[in-house]
């Protein structure tokens, strides 16, 4: 946990020690020497942090030492960040005085490290720099030196990443548990894969991975399969090897040889491989590799070579926590994801381990037992552990005590359930650990948004790379790694129309959440004001200075955070979730006293249509100089933001989604702003100074306003770092922008409103030509006649939506198009061959809509005819799987070429002629489509 903080500090200090600023540093008396000493102490500590962070789990004294290091690291980070920000502020003010046009300078002048001109301290407040900063650094250096000295008593080892010996996983055997519960469906699936003689599974050997988080029962399931009588009789040889970490080919090879009732004393891999190859030659074998972690590709390739000498039908069954293992083994198509155990099976497992007959316990015990099992959330190991805990508890009050306790505080849970999770946790890099731990800032069952979570990590400096544009990529890699290791689950791709923040969401298993709470119990605090027992004493056992991340849930105006906030001066995160109207406004002056804040999220309830938790933001927000992330979702009553917002030079993310009445935002001085979200700000026609933010990476909506005070399309011209998705709403006639030089922008929505001149539509559209790498495009209410030529040149386009436009363009030649949505073309009565991109009289062979899988027509009220194609040399829609026709009242029939496509589903709604035609099931066309859905 301290590792990432130390990394951040060392990078900051290294920047301060650059030769080009060395001369200026001398002006701050004593600071240069203090920085040197700080660096030496931090480097000495950094060398032993891996060993310390692993030992803290079992050694309370080590944990206390790390807590001291955390405290001083946080304070040091605040001091250095304050110094950098003050210098940056001075530079900005100086430049503003010199030239009104140079409000935002080039990257070299605003990003740290600074050129020497930034350090001309005679122009800065000398008293602040020399006395306050120098005094603070000297004081912190003394604290750090004491901590560095204390480390000697622990005899820490200079370590690289590895799992500590005390946390090694217990070795497994092939012997099954005496009694198991559930998993019959999974067992039968695996057995069928082991026994299958299908030609599709004739690889020798076929690898079948069982993937799931620690404690999910992977080994138990493998044991059930391994000892199944049918499986035993099917294979000539069966071998069970407990692999664990690290993946050692020689050790595994010897275990395989022993499993084949042979022995080999050699330590030469080549000799062992030859022995295995000879022993299994021509034999049908089942090899179980239990608990595989992270082998290298080269290691796996060496191990699999001799196994290919087995007979057809040989199998390798692998258990692992990491999906990447299945990918490395080229076995993703055979992968068995192990999900949570059903509640009834968990209950049976619980009672069995409690040594009780579930059918004969009293109702009172049964009700409490059910509630305890619900907390296991389908994790078999947790049900088993809690059952064992209850074995000697025969009184009802003892059961209630367990039910009312915090799961992660139960010693039995810590010892048994958290042990496998600790193994997975210690296998992470320090930076990934910190990102995972931050997730416990949110309550259980919270739905995390991937892009938003990455921005939160960035705000805490957990994505520590020099180039900010690379931080997104680093964050994505961390997220994917955690997902692959089963720390994240229920990963879903959400329809972007339903979720303005992005597409990928996930959850964290309740037991994993308990585990993270256990690791961060002094650092993160969640206050839920909807709980009856919550009062001002909540969190009294936690040192207030230790809490750095505070989340409020269901706050109201009456029971706001007023009684809590004054106690938590060191907060770096303050998040309000599902708060009620005007619950935050009255205490905002308390919030601005939290000078260490990096992340501030003050969101209204998503189902609330009042004015929001805030009606206005005072100018004092400018005092939060460390702030990187500000989220004001759903504050509909906000009409303007304070001018002091421009003083937040470190602000990276500004989320104003749903601030309906907000009219104007001034971002001229937000030189580090990378993400700006304004979806649902329907009155926001001016983002002042946005054209200067050439490093802006995310902008969800850009409304082109009317008059001199409105946004101009030309303001987007130089924003070439934009990524992801952008929606442009054109409300007025305007000059066009150049979009073709934005290679990272993958999704673009264009909506034309209130522009009456059709010629102006055409001019604007021509100027909005996107980069040819665009993947998704939506165009609404375009009335300029023929579409721009650039539409047909988007060869990477996979998704296209056209709504309310005048003319249907030729689209058949879009080679990568997979999904096409067309709707509200009121003037279209016939869809002809022009739509397919076929020229009149064409006789040559060609393929049209080569990759199209989904085709939808909505609300085509005038559409009567869909013309077929007589040329048999033309292949049309060879990949089409789903066709939807909705609210097309006059359409009489579907074209003949559709019956030659691999259409799997036809969905018809509110299209009476088609409904009557296909409801009856007339003709061979009806028989060719597996699924036809008719809705009235």
């Amino acid at each position: 946990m301290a590792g990432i903080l130390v990394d951040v500090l060392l990078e900051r200090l290294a920047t301060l020690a650059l030769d080009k600023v060395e001369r200026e540093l001398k002006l701050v008396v004593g600071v240069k020497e203090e920085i040197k000493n700080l660096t030496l102490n931090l480097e000495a500590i950094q060398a032993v942090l891996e060993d310390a962070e692993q030992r803290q789990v079992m050694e309370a004294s080590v944990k206390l030492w790390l807590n001291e290091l955390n405290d001083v690291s946080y304070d040091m980070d605040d001091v250095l960040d304050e110094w950098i920000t003050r210098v940056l502020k001075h530079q900005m003010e100086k430049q503003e005085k010199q030239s009104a046009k140079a409000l935002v300078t080039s990257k070299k002048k605003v990003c740290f490290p600074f050129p020497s001109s930034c350090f001309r301290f005679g122009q800065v407040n000398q008293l602040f720099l020399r006395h306050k900063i120098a005094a603070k650094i000297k004081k912190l250096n003394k604290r750090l030196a004491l901590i560095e000295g204390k480390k000697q008593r622990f005899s820490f080892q200079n370590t690289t990443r590895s799992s500590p010996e005390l946390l090694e996983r217990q070795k497994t055997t092939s012997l099954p548990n005496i009694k198991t519960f559930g998993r019959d469906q999974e067992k039968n699936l695996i057995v069928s894969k082991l026994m299958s003689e299908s030609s599709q599974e004739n690889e020798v050997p076929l690898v079948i991975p069982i993937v799931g988080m620690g404690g999910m029962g992977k080994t138990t399931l493998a044991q059930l399969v391994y000892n199944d009588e049918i499986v035993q009789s099917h294979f000539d040889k069966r071998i069970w090897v407990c692999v664990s970490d690290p993946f050692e080919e020689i050790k595994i090879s010897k275990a395989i040889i022993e499993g084949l009732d042979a022995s080999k004393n050699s330590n030469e891999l080549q000799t062992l491989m030859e022995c295995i190859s000879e022993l299994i030659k021509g034999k049908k074998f089942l090899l179980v590799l239990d608990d595989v972690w992270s082998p290298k590709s080269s290691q796996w390739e060496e191990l699999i070579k001799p196994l290919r000498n087995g007979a057809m039908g040989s199998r390798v069954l692998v258990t692992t926590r990491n999906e990447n293992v299945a990918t490395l083994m080229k076995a993703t198509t055979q992968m068995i994801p192990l999900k949570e155990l059903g509640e009834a099976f968990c209950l049976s497992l619980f009672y069995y381990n409690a040594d009780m007959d579930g059918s004969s316990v009293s109702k009172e015990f049964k009700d409490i037992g059910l509630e305890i099992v619900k907390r296991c959330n389908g994790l078999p190991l947790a049900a088993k552990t809690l059952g064992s805990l209850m074995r000697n508890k025969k009184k009802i009050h003892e059961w209630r005590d367990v039910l009312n306790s915090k799961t992660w505080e139960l010693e039995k849970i810590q010892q048994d359930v958290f042990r496998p999770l600790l193994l997975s946790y210690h296998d992470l890099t320090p930076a990934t650990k910190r990102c995972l731990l931050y997730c416990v800032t949110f309550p259980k069952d919270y739905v995390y948004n991937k892009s938003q979570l990455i921005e939160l990590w960035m705000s805490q400096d957990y994505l520590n790379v020099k180039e900010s544009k690379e931080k997104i990529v680093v964050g994505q890699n961390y997220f994917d790694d955690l997902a692959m290791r089963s720390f994240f689950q229920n990963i879903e791709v959400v329809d972007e129309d339903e979720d303005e923040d992005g597409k990928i969401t996930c959850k964290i298993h309740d037991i994993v959440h308990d585990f993270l709470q256990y690791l961060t119990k002094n650092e993160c605090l969640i206050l839920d004001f909807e709980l009856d027992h919550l009062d001002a004493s909540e969190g009294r056992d936690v040192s207030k200075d230790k809490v750095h991340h505070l989340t409020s849930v269901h706050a109201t105006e009456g029971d706001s955070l007023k009684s809590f906030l004054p106690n938590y001066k060191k907060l770096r995160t303050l998040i309000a979730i599902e708060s009620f109207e005007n619950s935050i406004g009255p205490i905002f002056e308390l919030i601005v006293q939290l000078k260490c804040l990096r992340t501030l999220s003050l969101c209204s309830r998503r189902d609330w249509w009042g004015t929001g938790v805030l009606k206005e933001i005072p100018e004092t927000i400018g005092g939060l100089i460390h702030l990187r992330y500000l989220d004001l979702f759903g504050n509909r009553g906000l009409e303007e933001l304070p001018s002091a917002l421009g003083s937040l030079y470190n602000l990276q993310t500004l989320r104003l989604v749903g601030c309906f009445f907000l009219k104007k935002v001034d971002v001229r001085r937000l030189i580090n702003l990378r993400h700006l979200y304004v979806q649902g700000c329907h009155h926001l026609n001016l983002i002042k100074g946005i054209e200067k933010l050439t490093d802006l990476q995310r902008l969800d909506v850009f409304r082109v306003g009317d008059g001199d005070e409105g946004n101009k399309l030309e303001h987007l011209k130089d924003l070439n770092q934009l990524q992801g998705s952008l929606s442009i709403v054109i409300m007025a006639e305007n000059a066009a922008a150049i979009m073709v030089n934005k290679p990272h922008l993958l999704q673009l929505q264009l909506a034309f409103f209130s522009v009456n001149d059709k010629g102006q539509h055409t001019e604007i559209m021509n100027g909005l030509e996107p980069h040819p790498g665009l993947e998704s495009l939506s165009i609404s209410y375009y009335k300029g006649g023929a579409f721009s030529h650039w539409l047909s040149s988007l060869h990477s386009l996979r998704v296209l939506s056209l709504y309310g436009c005048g003319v249907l363009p030729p689209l058949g030649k879009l080679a990568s198009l997979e999904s096409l949505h067309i709707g509200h073309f009121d003037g279209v009565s016939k869809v002809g061959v022009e739509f397919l991109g076929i020229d009149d009289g064409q006789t040559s062979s060609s393929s049209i809509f080569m990759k199209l899988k989904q085709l939808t027509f909505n609300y085509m009220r005038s559409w009567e005819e869909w013309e077929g194609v007589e040329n048999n040399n033309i292949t049309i829609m060879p990949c089409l799987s789903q066709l939807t026709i909705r609210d097309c009242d006059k359409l009489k029939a579907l074209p003949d070429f559709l019956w030659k496509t691999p259409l799997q589903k036809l969905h018809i709604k509110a299209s009476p002629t088609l409904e009557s035609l296909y409801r009856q099931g007339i003709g061979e066309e009806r028989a060719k489509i597996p699924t036809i859905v008719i809705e009235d």
Side-chain angles (χ1 to χ4, degrees), residues 122-135:
Q123 304 298 318
V124 186
N125 188 322
Q126 289 282 345
L127 182 64
F128 170 79
L129 287 173
R130 290 188 177 180
H131 296 283
K132 287 190 176 180
I133 294 293

Side-chain angles (χ1 to χ4, degrees), residues 359-378:
S359 60
S360 61
V361 298
S362 69
K363 183 180 185 303
E364 199 170 11
F365 275 97
K366 185 175 289 186
D367 290 344
I368 295 176
L370 179 59
E371 291 303 312
I372 291 174
V373 167
K374 285 181 178 178
R375 292 171 65 175
C376 299
N377 210 252

Side-chain angles (χ1 to χ4, degrees), residues 195-206:
M195 311 288 289
S196 175
E197 302 293 340
S198 168
S199 60
Q200 296 179 347
E201 300 178 345
N202 59 6
E203 184 178 351
V204 179
L206 182 69

Side-chain angles (χ1 to χ4, degrees), residues 163-315:
S163 295
E165 187 175 344
L166 57 90
L167 288 173
E168 281 187 4
R169 187 179 188 273
Q170 184 179 350
K171 297 297 182 182
T172 64
T173 70
S174 63
L175 298 177
N177 292 332
I178 298 173
K179 191 171 181 61
T180 56
F181 300 87
R183 301 302 189 203
D184 289 340
Q185 184 176 351
E186 292 91 342
K187 176 191 171 184
N188 293 336
L189 175 60
I190 296 172
V191 170
S192 69
K193 286 180 175 290
L194 296 179
M195 311 288 289
S196 175
E197 302 293 340
S198 168
S199 60
Q200 296 179 347
E201 300 178 345
N202 59 6
E203 184 178 351
V204 179
L206 182 69
V207 180
I208 304 170
I210 304 173
V211 181
M213 65 179 285
M216 195 58 77
K218 300 180 295 296
T219 298
T220 299
L221 178 58
Q223 289 167 336
L224 280 175
V225 171
Y226 186 87
N227 290 282
D228 183 85
E229 290 183 2
I230 298 176
V231 171
Q232 291 185 50
S233 62
H234 182 74
F235 293 97
D236 301 324
K237 292 288 184 180
R238 293 179 305 128
I239 313 106
W240 181 284
V241 177
C242 181
V243 178
S244 292
D245 196 35
F247 191 93
E248 298 176 359
E249 307 101 296
I250 292 178
K251 182 179 176 182
I252 296 168
S253 300
K254 287 185 174 182
I256 293 174
I257 292 171
E258 289 178 11
L260 291 167
D261 301 322
S263 62
K264 198 73 176 179
N265 292 325
S266 174
N267 285 319
E268 291 294 328
L269 184 60
Q270 176 65 28
T271 304
L272 296 173
M273 296 291 104
E274 290 174 355
C275 181
I276 293 174
S277 180
E278 189 63 31
L279 288 171
I280 65 170
K281 185 176 181 180
K283 292 184 175 66
K284 186 188 297 184
F285 68 86
L286 169 62
L287 170 62
V288 175
L289 297 176
D290 185 42
D291 197 29
V292 177
W293 283 71
S294 302
K296 297 177 182 177
S297 179
S298 58
Q299 291 177 312
W300 174 249
E301 287 300 324
E302 285 299 319
L303 185 64
I304 199 70
K305 283 178 184 178
L307 301 179
R308 295 192 177 111
N309 208 27
M312 185 72 69
S314 295
R315 302 287 188 259

